[in-house]
Amino acid sequence: MTHPVHTPVVAADGGLVRFALADLLGGAPGLMTVELSDAAAAEPWLTRLVGSERALEAIAAGHVDVPAHPELATLALLLWARRWWPASPSLGVPSLDPALLDLEAAAATAAVEDLAEGLLDGFEASPAELFDAAAEGIAVTSVAEEVRGLCLRLSAWFDDRDDVVRAEAAAGLAAAVSPGQRAYALAAGAGPSMLGEGVVVEGRASVDWARVPPGVLDAAEDTVAWRIVAAPVGTRLEVEVEGAFADAALTAFATHDGAVIAEVPLHLGAGRFAGSADLDVTSVDIVVGVTAESIVGTTAEDRAEVVSLVRARPPAARTLAERAAAASAEEEF
């Protein structure tokens, strides 16, 4: 099964609309796949989207490949970036401002609603929800003119739907946003290594992107350092995770033969998370994040492929948040 990290998707009423990640990141979405789970629910928007002939084909087969609609391709990419963007200074992939991503996703969601009303029907965040999230975080940005343009478009869209409060809020944000560079709280960086006396065993591990919140940790491999040290009574497990961009509730789990034998609460420090816990074995595997069996994890190969595609991304295909990150990087030098 293809991992969701490789397949940008828009959840629709009665189905899914899938895209190939390489196509979207390359700036050339060719086809999109519409997969139906409830043909009756999907039929109204599907007919408006692909026409009656292709809609009947999709209903009969349960799926159909059609030329990608730019509005849906844009939304799928932005939703993917909100969850899977592999920010990593060491890999040359900048962090993206979540408020800018939310604002652009709000405008893209509104465009999809105009394209085929009822397609989303509550299965994705609404333009209102995304705008509310964005408005709390945007004040200063290196792409102020583009932000103003999006806000004015959203103001008109909300006004057409009699959402006077948000129409005024979007217009007010358009007037208030100012040019400049936003300060980001934390950045990945080298710190004190886990060296000391009494080390029984030590190792490194990688963070599975599927097990941690987006935008919190550096996406590079081998950022988890752990060691088991001799303590006055028994032994102690110490874990450090390099490359913290933001605070979050994180835990490292020590497993032995597939079973969790210790949990290490991780606390934010200078560009890293760290924590320790007592342990009575010396052979462990370390998992950072959550250990729920229902989670479909990413592999090192999955992560390497995504990073490669992102690093090769053409400038013309960049999102607003990417352009802002590039402009901020240029201001620093």
Side-chain angles (χ1 to χ4, degrees):
M1 182 181 68
T2 302
H3 193 278
V5 74
H6 299 299
T7 312
V9 62
V10 174
D13 187 14
L16 296 172
V17 185
R18 298 184 183 275
F19 296 83
L21 178 62
D23 290 348
L24 294 193
L25 288 178
L31 295 176
M32 62 184 189
T33 299
V34 180
E35 298 177 358
L36 301 183
S37 57
D38 184 338
E43 193 277 332
W45 62 259
L46 182 62
T47 299
R48 288 193 292 273
L49 188 69
V50 304
S52 57
E53 183 176 340
R54 300 307 302 273
L56 290 173
E57 179 185 337
I59 291 170
H63 60 85
V64 66
D65 291 335
V66 294
H69 281 269
E71 297 88 347
L72 276 163
T74 297
L75 179 58
L77 178 61
L78 290 165
L79 296 176
W80 177 89
R82 291 173 78 233
R83 176 61 185 93
W84 298 111
W85 184 261
S88 173
S90 62
L91 298 176
V93 180
S95 295
L96 301 184
D97 186 335
L100 289 177
L101 278 176
D102 285 342
L103 183 68
E104 197 169 8
T109 304
V112 169
E113 292 280 11
D114 290 339
L115 174 68
E117 185 179 358
L119 186 152
L120 301 176
D121 199 24
F123 285 84
E124 298 286 5
S126 69
E129 292 167 333
L130 289 163
F131 172 75
D132 290 347
E136 296 179 1
I138 295 177
V140 177
T141 174
S142 57
V143 288
E145 287 302 320
E146 292 183 80
V147 169
R148 289 191 191 103
L150 283 182
C151 288
L152 291 174
R153 282 168 49 195
L154 283 167
S155 178
W157 193 86
F158 288 132
D159 189 57
D160 286 344
R161 284 150 183 80
D162 296 323
D163 189 341
V164 177
V165 172
R166 287 193 176 86
E168 292 179 349
L173 183 56
V177 69
S178 59
Q181 182 175 339
R182 285 194 66 189
Y184 291 90
L186 297 165
S193 61
M194 300 178 64
L195 298 177
E197 297 181 358
V199 176
V200 177
V201 63
E202 60 187 346
R204 299 196 73 87
S206 296
V207 175
D208 182 345
W209 300 349
R211 299 183 185 276
V212 297
V216 172
L217 294 171
D218 190 307
E221 299 294 298
D222 296 326
T223 58
V224 182
W226 61 269
R227 67 177 184 175
I228 298 174
V229 300
V233 178
T235 54
R236 183 178 68 253
L237 172 63
E238 298 178 349
V239 180
E240 289 184 0
V241 186
E242 302 167 1
F245 301 134
D247 200 1
L250 287 184
T251 300
F253 296 88
T255 66
H256 181 72
D257 291 336
V260 175
I261 57 173
E263 297 184 12
V264 184
L266 299 175
H267 305 287
L268 182 62
R272 65 184 58 227
F273 286 86
S276 64
D278 293 335
L279 192 69
D280 58 5
V281 301
T282 59
S283 176
V284 297
D285 293 311
I286 301 297
V287 176
V288 172
V290 296
T291 59
E293 293 182 359
S294 59
I295 290 177
V296 180
T298 61
T299 65
E301 291 75 18
D302 288 327
R303 299 189 290 269
E305 181 178 345
V306 170
V307 169
S308 177
L309 290 171
V310 167
R311 293 180 67 182
R313 189 153 159 72
R318 290 174 179 170
T319 64
L320 179 64
E322 289 175 81
R323 294 194 294 276
S328 295
E330 290 173 1
E331 290 177 9
E332 293 176 357
F333 298 97

